[in-house]
């Protein structure tokens, strides 16, 4: 490709190709002015390479690769006279901050990290990154070189290259030669899916602490190695909103320190100075809060830094030029210039306050190890939890740099510790093999934020989830205490190896159900055409108790694999490490024998999922990621536009993700006659295609998630109702009317707050489970899940109500509007309707939301593999 480029590039580019040493500006290098078009990611990477090649004071680090194979890079910029290696500067910074041991050197530097284009269609910021890099590369810029005497600058031009190129490709394909500024024209209307998200349609600005996506994992590894003092996450907002920068608005998490509040102001004031000089519009203290811990501003804050979000007008509908509601024309050039301006102002403000920035950072980690925490001093994870689950949970702690250990000695706790499962206080005994997490550690704040049972917020006016406590996410038996417990180093338990257990000539192998490892093991066996049986009842074998859901692999039924069976099971067991045991007899000491008809055969299902217009790209992406990246099982993806022509009989399981399913409307002939006979609401609720129900009745399994359920309410044959009885319907209508009357004195100024009354944006609820049903195999009698949808459904009249939210007491953590809370009364969360030979599985709230709710993974696996028969 390089040779080809030689002919295509303007002449002045030849110098670099032939190893020239002259620094080029972005426009010289790219052959167009920044802002004239959207730069492709690979061109930006080439430019970063060029700059680091010709600039001795700039080092390029490739820290990973995206799902689509694009490189993830940062440039580390030091002062031109700097004699030290980047590595020794980094080490000195960590020593100075008290994060690692070592000898302190004089004149520590403050570290500013600027991250661009996390949302790929907020596309001006990568262009700004190119300009910013060039300014700091050009050693004739005396002022910037002076700033570099005290500041190390790290520039990540694009956190989300796959999404950024999705947008750049879209715009380069759809944009007019002369940009059309009308926001309704094609070049301003991205199609499904927009460039905001990454390859698996995950929002990388919701993923920092969970690290479910490759890009986040790579970036956080580098971030943790550097631990910058200041981090800016560059965004764009509606093209009508001029510019937002720090300070953020309430709610703030209570653990945000006074200095972190103050320095946001200092930087904000410096940004404002430059904006004022140019008479530019901006706002602060509105819209953007500091709470949810997986953002690019809060996560750095919970890691001691000053984390900030900057938002310029623009976004996916900004194009190269767009007419705003103020009838100005907003150009890409202007957008990138303003981001460039705040980048410089941020570095300058940090330079001006460098000593204080460094001091406060040191203080932060000193306090973390010595100061009283907000409430709990120690979190206790019971050893009684599933081994695999503990391992995965500890892996997340490792990724976040949270330390843990074992108790020094068993301790009877008499001070009534908090029990996450029951929400009550009780006395427990802390055992040798339990795991302790102390809040007296470098990551004290992050630990508290991720473990606190209730989020401590200064205000509830927020539009993201308000609860994320790790013990609920992982479904762990866990406790918290105000008491400090002595820790010793964590000793990794010796995992019993399945090797050697799987000798040939055995009667079979049994696997405990209920862990992600057992799930991925099952997926691998099914992929390899192994016939697996699942126990519908419990039994005891060789002294081990197996609950329903246990898998049994027998040579019987697997004759087609001959001697390969052992190898497949053996390799899968080594790879996935489920709790597996081989047996030599079909006799159980208690409960069902291995030949019982209560063992049901699972055959490898062909699984399909709907994507495209009308389907939530986020939920589709979570499902896609679940199959491809988490359990490694094939999934067929169909477009919603082809919904009616799908050959259903070739599919075993069809998943309808959350979505508006607007395309189902079009099936209804919109003739005047029909309109007259049908109310508008009936139009919206037009049935899914008849072939779908026919397929279900003949044995298909349909999984319907979140708002997709709306299309099935009161539809014949689907078993889902809006009201459980006529009386309930009347009652609901009466209440609605009463509510409307009561709302007449509402205040305009309170409208945002009023909206909260009927909403839940993500709170943790306790769901009662019928764990005798295959959908809940492997779970206890209750499950903690995220309530995301405000819609409440009554129980299925004829189906199995497997997961129920009982009453207002079901709310465990986070914010839920008081009116919706009051309405909770035995509502369906997970249910299975048996439709002749098939099954319809309803999941009222998306269990795979943002891919971070670990404890839902098996439940979703149950839906696709275990429910049936
Ligand atoms: Zn954004």
């Amino acid at each position: 490709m390089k040779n080809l480029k030689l002919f295509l590039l303007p002449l002045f580019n030849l110098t670099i190709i032939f190893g020239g040493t002259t620094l080029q500006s972005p426009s010289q290098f790219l052959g167009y002015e920044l802002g004239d078009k959207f730069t492709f990611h690979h061109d930006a990477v080439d430019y970063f390479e060029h700059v680091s090649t010709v600039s001795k004071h700039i080092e390029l680090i490739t820290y990973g690769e995206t799902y689509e194979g694009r490189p993830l890079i940062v440039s580390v910029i030091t002062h031109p006279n700097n004699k030290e290696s980047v590595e020794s500067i980094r080490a000195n910074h960590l020593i100075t901050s008290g994060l690692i041991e070592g000898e302190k050197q004089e004149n520590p530097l403050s570290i500013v990290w600027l991250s661009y284009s996390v949302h790929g269609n907020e596309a001006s910021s990568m262009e700004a990154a190119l300009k910013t890099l060039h300014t700091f590369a050009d050693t004739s810029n005396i002022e910037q070189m002076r700033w570099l005497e005290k500041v190390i600058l790290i520039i990540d031009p694009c956190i989300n290259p796959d999404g950024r190129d999705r947008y750049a490709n879209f715009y380069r394909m759809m944009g007019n030669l002369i940009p059309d500024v009308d926001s309704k024209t094609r070049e301003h209307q991205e199609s499904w899916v927009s460039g905001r998200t990454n390859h698996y349609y995950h929002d990388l600005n919701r993923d920092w602490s969970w690290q479910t996506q490759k890009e986040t994992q790579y970036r956080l590894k580098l971030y943790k190695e550097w631990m910058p003092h200041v981090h800016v996450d560059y965004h764009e907002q509606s093209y009508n909103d001029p510019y937002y920068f720090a300070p953020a608005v309430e709610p703030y998490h209570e653990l945000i320190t006074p200095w972190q509040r103050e320095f946001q102001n200092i930087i904000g004031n410096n940004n404002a100075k430059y904006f004022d000089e140019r008479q530019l519009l901006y706002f602060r203290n509105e819209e953007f809060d500091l709470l949810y811990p997986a953002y690019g501003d809060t996560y750095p804050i919970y890691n001691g830094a000053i984390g900030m979000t900057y938002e310029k007008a623009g976004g996916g509908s900004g194009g190269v030029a767009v007419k705003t509601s103020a009838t100005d024309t907003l150009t890409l050039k202007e957008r990138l210039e303003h981001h460039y301006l705040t980048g410089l102002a941020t570095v300058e403000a940090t330079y001006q306050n460098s000593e204080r920035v460094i001091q406060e950072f040191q203080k932060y980690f000193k306090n973390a190890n010595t100061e009283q925490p907000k409430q709990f001093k120690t979190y206790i994870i019971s050893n009684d939890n599933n081994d695999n689950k503990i391992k995965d949970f500890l892996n997340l702690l490792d990724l976040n740099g949270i330390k843990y250990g074992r108790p020094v000695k068993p301790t009877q706790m008499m001070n009534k510790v908090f029990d996450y499962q029951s929400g009550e206080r009780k006395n427990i005994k802390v055992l040798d093999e339990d795991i302790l997490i102390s809040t007296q550690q470098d990551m004290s704040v992050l630990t508290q934020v991720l473990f606190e049972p209730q989020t401590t917020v200064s205000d509830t006016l927020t539009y993201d989830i308000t609860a994320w406590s790790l013990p609920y996410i992982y479904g762990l038996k866990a406790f918290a205490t105000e008491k400090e417990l002595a820790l010793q180093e964590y000793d990794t338990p010796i995992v019993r190896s399945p090797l050697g257990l799987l000798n040939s000539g055995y009667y079979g192998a049994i696997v405990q159900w209920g862990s992600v490892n057992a799930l991925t093991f099952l997926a691998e066996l099914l992929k390899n055409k192994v016939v697996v049986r699942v126990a519908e009842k419990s039994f005891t074998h060789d002294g081990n108790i197996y609950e329903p859901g246990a898998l049994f692999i027998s040579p019987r039924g697997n004759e087609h694999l001959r001697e390969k069976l052992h190898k497949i099971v053996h390799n899968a067991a080594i790879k996935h490490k489920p709790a597996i045991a081989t047996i030599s007899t079909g006799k159980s000491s208690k409960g069902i024998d291995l030949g019982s008809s209560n063992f049901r055969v699972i055959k490898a299902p062909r699984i399909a999922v709907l994507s495209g217009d009308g389907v939530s790209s986020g939920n589709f992406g979570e499902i896609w990621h679940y199959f491809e990246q988490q359990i490694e099982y094939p999934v067929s993806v169909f477009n919603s536009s082809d919904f009616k022509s799908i050959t259903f009989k070739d599919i075993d399981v069809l998943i309808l993700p959350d979505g508006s399913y607007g395309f189902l409307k079009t099936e209804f002939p919109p003739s005047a006659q029909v309109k007259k006979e049908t109310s508008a609401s009936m139009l919206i609720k037009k049935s899914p295609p008849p072939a779908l129900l026919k397929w279900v009745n003949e044995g298909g399994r349909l999984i319907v998630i979140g708002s997709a359920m709306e299309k099935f309410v009161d539809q014949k044959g689907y078993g889902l109702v809006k009201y459980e009885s006529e009386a309930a319907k009347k009652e609901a209508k009466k209440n609605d009317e009463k509510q409307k009357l009561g709302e007449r004195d509402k205040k305009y100024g309170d409208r945002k707050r009023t909206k909260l009354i009927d909403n839940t944006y993500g709170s943790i609820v306790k769901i009662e489970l019928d764990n005798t049903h295959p959908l809940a195999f492997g779970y206890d009698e209750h499950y903690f899940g995220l309530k995301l949808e405000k819609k409440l459904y009554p129980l299925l009249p004829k189906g199995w109500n497997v997961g129920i939210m009982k009453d207002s007491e079901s709310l465990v953590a986070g914010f839920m509007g008081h009116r919706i809370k009051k309405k909770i009364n035995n509502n369906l969360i997970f249910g299975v309707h048996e439709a002749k030979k098939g099954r319809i599985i309803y999941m009222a709230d998306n269990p795979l939301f943002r891919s971070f709710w670990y404890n839902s993974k098996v439940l979703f696996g149950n839906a696709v593999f275990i429910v049936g028969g």
Side-chain angles (χ1 to χ4, degrees), residues 534-796:
V534 57
E536 294 261 8
K537 289 187 172 171
S538 61
F539 60 99
T540 306
H541 209 286
D542 282 343
N544 296 320
I545 301 167
Y546 293 93
E547 298 296 343
L551 307 175
F552 172 43
I553 303 115
S554 163
R556 296 284 77 78
N558 283 307
E559 287 84 355
H560 58 289
L561 295 168
R562 298 201 188 92
E563 66 282 359
K564 273 195 289 186
L565 175 68
H566 287 288
K567 211 173 161 196
I568 295 168
V569 176
H570 185 89
N571 290 345
I574 291 169
K575 184 173 167 195
H576 301 283
K577 300 186 180 60
I580 186 169
T582 48
I583 51 170
S584 53
T585 170
K587 273 187 300 187
S588 295
S589 55
K590 215 173 147 188
I592 54 172
D593 283 330
L594 278 297
S596 161
S597 60
N598 278 303
F599 275 95
R600 190 160 41 77
V601 166
I602 310 172
K603 286 193 192 120
R606 182 180 177 210
I607 300 170
V609 58
L610 211 61
S611 76
D613 282 328
V615 174
S616 149
S617 61
N619 190 205
F620 165 75
E622 287 146 9
I623 294 163
W624 194 21
H625 187 264
Y626 178 85
F627 285 105
E628 294 206 328
Q629 298 292 330
Q630 299 174 41
I631 70 166
E632 297 176 18
Y633 191 84
V635 63
S636 297
V637 178
F638 290 94
N639 278 326
S640 54
S641 52
D642 297 325
F643 192 33
K644 280 180 282 176
S645 54
I646 295 173
T647 315
F648 289 108
K649 68 174 175 46
D650 295 341
I651 297 166
D652 300 299
V653 177
L654 174 64
I655 304 166
L656 303 185
D658 190 53
S660 63
Y661 288 77
F663 59 91
L664 287 180
K665 275 191 266 184
T666 56
E667 215 184 317
F668 214 84
S671 70
Q673 183 59 24
V674 172
K675 268 186 190 154
K676 223 198 252 166
E677 288 167 6
T678 328
S679 74
S681 66
M682 278 176 77
L683 262 176
I684 292 163
K685 273 197 274 142
K686 174 63 196 155
S687 328
L692 183 68
L693 187 60
K694 186 169 172 280
W695 165 75
V696 174
N697 285 334
E698 284 169 1
R701 212 179 316 150
L702 181 68
I703 301 175
V704 187
I705 303 173
S707 52
M709 277 168 64
E710 276 297 278
K711 295 290 162 189
F712 296 87
V713 170
D714 294 336
Q715 295 289 344
K716 201 165 173 261
Y718 286 95
L720 185 66
V721 293
K722 187 168 183 185
Y723 301 105
E724 55 193 353
S725 63
E726 272 305 311
K729 187 176 175 179
K730 271 191 192 147
E731 178 75 14
K733 288 221 159 124
K734 216 168 80 190
N735 285 341
D736 283 353
E737 274 164 29
K738 224 166 97 186
Q739 195 179 301
K740 270 183 203 148
L741 287 173
E743 275 174 1
R744 284 172 305 173
D745 61 350
K746 66 184 177 198
K747 289 209 164 52
Y748 179 77
D750 290 341
R751 64 196 184 283
K752 279 193 175 169
R753 215 167 278 279
T754 314
K755 210 178 138 201
L756 291 176
I757 301 172
D758 294 309
N759 270 300
T760 172
Y761 295 105
S763 45
I764 298 174
V765 291
K766 186 175 181 178
I767 297 160
E768 312 297 326
L769 285 185
D770 170 9
N771 64 0
T772 66
H773 191 282
L775 183 59
F777 279 177
Y779 285 82
D780 293 333
E781 284 166 352
H782 59 258
Y783 163 89
F784 297 98
L786 269 185
K787 184 83 195 115
L788 298 155
E789 303 280 339
K790 63 177 180 180
K791 191 89 202 163
L792 298 175
Y793 294 94
L795 300 182
L796 299 174

Side-chain angles (χ1 to χ4, degrees), residues 118-119 122 196 205 234-236 311:
V118 59
H119 292 146
E122 297 167 12
R196 177 181 176 90
N205 190 34
Y234 276 93
H235 290 260
E236 285 182 345
E311 302 260 357

Side-chain angles (χ1 to χ4, degrees), residues 142-157:
I142 294 163
E143 200 167 13
Q144 279 72 43
M145 293 310 112
R146 197 174 69 239
W147 300 345
L148 289 176
E149 286 169 10
K150 292 186 181 179
V151 177
I152 297 284
L153 178 59
I154 300 177
I155 296 182
D156 187 332

Side-chain angles (χ1 to χ4, degrees), residues 79-91:
H79 190 272
N81 294 343
N82 166 55
K83 297 273 179 298
E84 272 188 79
S85 71
V86 160
E87 185 47 32
S88 89
I89 293 171
R90 186 184 72 82

